[in-house]
Amino acid sequence: SREGQLEMTKVIEEYLRLIGRDSEGVPDTLFPKNGRHVVSITSGVLAGRPVIEGTRIRTSLIAQRVRAGEKPERLAADYKIPLEAIEAAIEYEKAAA
């Protein structure tokens, strides 16, 4: 129709918010839905592996350390990042498994 599929607009807008853009508006980053906009995937950062946004800390490394028995609070202190970022990385890895 001339107005488009109005029922799909909300769904499409939700997914478009998961795409980060560079200063020129070109898509360059994906924020996985269950990563709370804290986990990002960028082709030029660690070969596109999921990391905590703004760092080169792989989410898989965080999950591995938690499985080894380390506490999220300790990891946040080690990496000097907010606990919420550690929790988002753990949540992402659980959903991706």
Side-chain angles (χ1 to χ4, degrees):
S1 73
R2 222 172 251 235
E3 292 81 30
Q5 294 186 10
L6 298 179
E7 295 301 316
M8 295 294 293
T9 302
K10 289 181 184 178
V11 173
I12 291 170
E13 286 175 351
E14 180 181 335
Y15 282 99
L16 287 175
R17 280 189 220 108
L18 300 176
I19 299 171
R21 299 179 182 278
D22 67 13
S23 60
E24 296 176 9
V26 177
D28 67 348
T29 303
L30 173 65
F31 295 96
K33 190 171 183 179
N34 48 4
R36 297 193 228 162
H37 254 74
V38 174
V39 174
S40 65
I41 298 171
T42 306
S43 63
V45 177
L46 290 175
R49 291 189 173 95
V51 297
I52 295 174
E53 174 66 12
T55 75
R56 297 178 66 85
I57 304 168
R58 293 185 334 248
T59 57
S60 60
L61 177 62
I62 298 296
Q64 182 180 31
R65 289 183 67 179
V66 169
R67 283 192 303 270
E70 293 189 61
K71 300 287 184 206
E73 296 81 8
R74 171 61 188 229
L75 298 177
D78 282 355
Y79 291 114
K80 296 176 178 55
I81 58 176
L83 178 59
E84 293 78 20
I86 297 295
E87 292 169 340
I90 294 166
E91 180 180 323
Y92 169 78
E93 285 295 321
K94 284 181 182 177

